[in-house]
Amino acid sequence: MKLDILAFGAHPDDVELGAGGTLALEIANGKKVGIVDLTRGELGTRGSAEIRDKEAAAAAKILGVVTRENLKFADGFFINDKEHQLEIIKMIRKYQPEIVLCNAIDDRHIDHAKGSKLVSDACFLSGLIKINTNLEGETKQQEPWRPKQVYHYIQWKNIEPDFVVDISSYIEKKTAAILAYGSQFFNPNSDEPETPISNKNFIDSVNYRARDLGRIVGVDYAEGFTTERHIAVKTLDNIF
């Protein structure tokens, strides 16, 4: 299955928080989109890996992605080495995305920057013909594939975006996908320990950021991204 966009997240819910509105927009425009989670978020203070598996499936259904996989790397302890890069490469070659989205280049959680660099490095390596990979259970070698663009969404830290996407018509779907993770975010009836993302202020802050990024470009809501390469346009009026 060839995808237009493949979004990677170090943990289930990373993609929804950073790029859920953009994915919903692209899916509405007819793009085929998939998500790959690197870990099951098993070290999270609240919930469990099994609960988050179910929540991730529910969020994927809300967004309308065509596939979601989990590589089951060790939460908190995965590293950017050959073993992990090869697993990412297999996913890139399997789905042959034109665009890859991945974690923030710098962030509060150590897995986010690690995941960002790991996926970015794997996107480059995936295009090298002398790296041989094949999917489990298959003998046929995968063809090299390098995405045209790698974009990084914004997470905890307020990183200055290189560009923003108007998600005004999809903020409700983004919010619904986030709230599918009932174990992680604000729930007044929960008796689990408080975390930096479990209070109402955090959910409000996600909305505030989208409003503020929208404000600077004259729309209601937006999501921001950083890019590793210059973005080209055919004419000046491609930019609004």
Side-chain angles (χ1 to χ4, degrees), residues 38-39 73-88 110-111 113-119 121-122:
L38 304 188
T39 78
F73 293 168
D75 189 12
F77 294 100
F78 70 83
I79 59 174
N80 186 1
D81 65 356
K82 180 179 179 180
E83 177 184 356
H84 290 84
Q85 289 165 355
L86 286 172
E87 293 305 311
I88 302 291
I110 61 171
D111 280 354
K114 282 194 299 179
S116 175
K117 189 67 165 62
L118 168 60
V119 172
D121 289 351

Side-chain angles (χ1 to χ4, degrees), residues 13 17 46 55 175-206:
D13 74 30
L17 286 165
R46 296 159 65 102
E55 292 170 342
T175 302
I178 292 169
L179 294 179
Y181 294 90
S183 69
Q184 302 302 302
F185 302 114
F186 178 67
N187 179 356
N189 299 317
S190 175
D191 58 1
E192 293 204 70
E194 282 288 314
T195 72
I197 64 172
S198 68
N199 57 62
K200 188 174 184 298
N201 182 59
F202 177 76
I203 291 296
D204 289 343
S205 75
V206 174

Side-chain angles (χ1 to χ4, degrees), residues 35-66:
I35 297 174
V36 174
D37 300 308
L38 304 188
T39 78
R40 297 172 74 197
E42 62 271 18
L43 293 184
T45 301
R46 296 159 65 102
S48 65
E50 292 74 21
I51 290 172
R52 296 186 78 171
D53 289 345
K54 294 177 182 178
E55 292 170 342
K61 186 175 181 180
I62 290 168
L63 290 177
V65 301
V66 296

Side-chain angles (χ1 to χ4, degrees), residues 112-129:
H112 295 169
K114 282 194 299 179
S116 175
K117 189 67 165 62
L118 168 60
V119 172
S120 177
D121 289 351
C123 285
F124 175 80
L125 293 170
S126 183
L128 301 181
I129 63 174

